[in-house]
Amino acid sequence: MHVYVFCQINLSSLITRYFIKFQPVLRVELFRRDHPLSSLVDSTTSRPNLTMSEKFLEAVKRSNRRRDAIVRSIHEAAAGRRAAAAANDDAGAGVSSSSAYYNIPVAAGDGEYLTQIALGTPTQAVTAIVDTGSDLMWTQCLPCTSCHAQSSPVFNPATSSTYQVVNCSNNLCRDLEVVSCDGGCEYEYGYGDGSSTSGVFATDSVTLGTSSVPNIGFGCGHTNLGSFSGAGGLVGLGQGPLSLISQLNSATVSKKFSYCLVSLSSPNTSALIFGDTAVSSATGVAYTPIVHNPINPTYYYIGLAGISVAGRSLRYPTQSFAIDDATGNGGMILDSGTTLTYLEVGAYIAVLVELRAALTYPIVSGAPYGLDLCFSTRGMAELTLPDMVFHFTNADFVLEPPNLFFMVNTAGTVACLAMAENTGLSILGNIQQQDHLIVYDLDEAQIGFQSTSC
């Protein structure tokens, strides 16, 4: 048990460039959608006087939408593969058609973190949603057939001396769901909320902080349907070949990145670092293997072997976090764009039972907040709260009380557990990731954790 003064805090970092092992070190800022640097427009940013509790509850709503979109995409991916396999069998084809099924889970305007990058020569600034749950990097481009409003100027490829449309024989084009090849590689991507982007796939220099990397492939979107909440585009950091991290690897930067998210209410930004420096200064990082899910290869799955609350190991169905090989359902993923952590129902019920037994404060209804476990803190200057540990394969992930509970009313008298249930898939959300260094080492197929003050 730990004694905490129950308060709320937010995110931190800088933009730098230096070299290690002759690799450029690329470091940019991450900031939340309600940060002053953000260009997103929604029910949170359009009401700047919202309290931190109100902002959190808005994030909970977005989190639930994103969870639903991810689950839907997994079911669609499995159905698509079954249909493709049947079509290939009927046609006598001996090739895989998995590349024809790109399921992008994110509700396009529901990303929680953004960054500022620059494209082209000379550079043009782009504010984009950052998403570990998708691959494609894209931005709105002139001329616009249909472009949503964004705070910065739309990227104009005609003014960049390094911009080139990708040929259809290019490997990156082959990794896309190609619509046509009329003079170049054309793409179309759809999102879980019905939004979409389409245009030409091109390469150009991408500037991250003060370092520029040439010949990075991205979607130059001339037709973009949906608002994307005012972001100029999206930077995908998934495991697929189109993602920024995969392309940086081919551009002599190690296939690694890390971030350290500060607490929710901090006025600071957070560091997103690419290459060897993502881990060079970190000591005591515990690594767990990335679990491959062939039906959903973009996501970062990790093996959850056990859960303990206040030092007590929980008992729940043994297959709660197993991946179904036939459907791709189940397992646990890390996701930067989901606020809450979602646990498979059987394990979640065990967590609720143990937390209720460990809490010494009056339990109150969570219905007004859309959450399951809430308690009164009225009259309490300090709270004694339990911690929790996720026991991943070879690595323990410690969740201190600030990663578990959040004040949900403006009076500061009700706190709730920042978790919810889901059937099948489990998700490690960004509230639980805060004040942890998270290292994605794709070269070694592992993810590292270290508790720290971000």
Side-chain angles (χ1 to χ4, degrees), residues 115-130:
T115 194
Q116 293 175 336
I117 63 172
L119 291 173
T121 308
T123 59
Q124 301 176 48
V126 175
T127 298
I129 295 169
V130 174

Side-chain angles (χ1 to χ4, degrees), residues 33-68:
R33 62 186 297 126
D34 53 12
H35 190 274
L37 289 174
S38 173
S39 62
L40 294 198
V41 177
D42 62 11
S43 58
T44 301
T45 57
S46 61
R47 292 183 287 159
N49 294 324
L50 288 182
T51 65
M52 185 52 57
S53 297
E54 290 170 328
K55 290 179 180 179
F56 170 72
L57 294 177
E58 291 291 333
V60 169
K61 296 174 185 176
R62 294 190 299 270
S63 185
N64 289 335
R65 290 197 298 267
R66 184 175 173 94
R67 172 204 56 190
D68 293 344

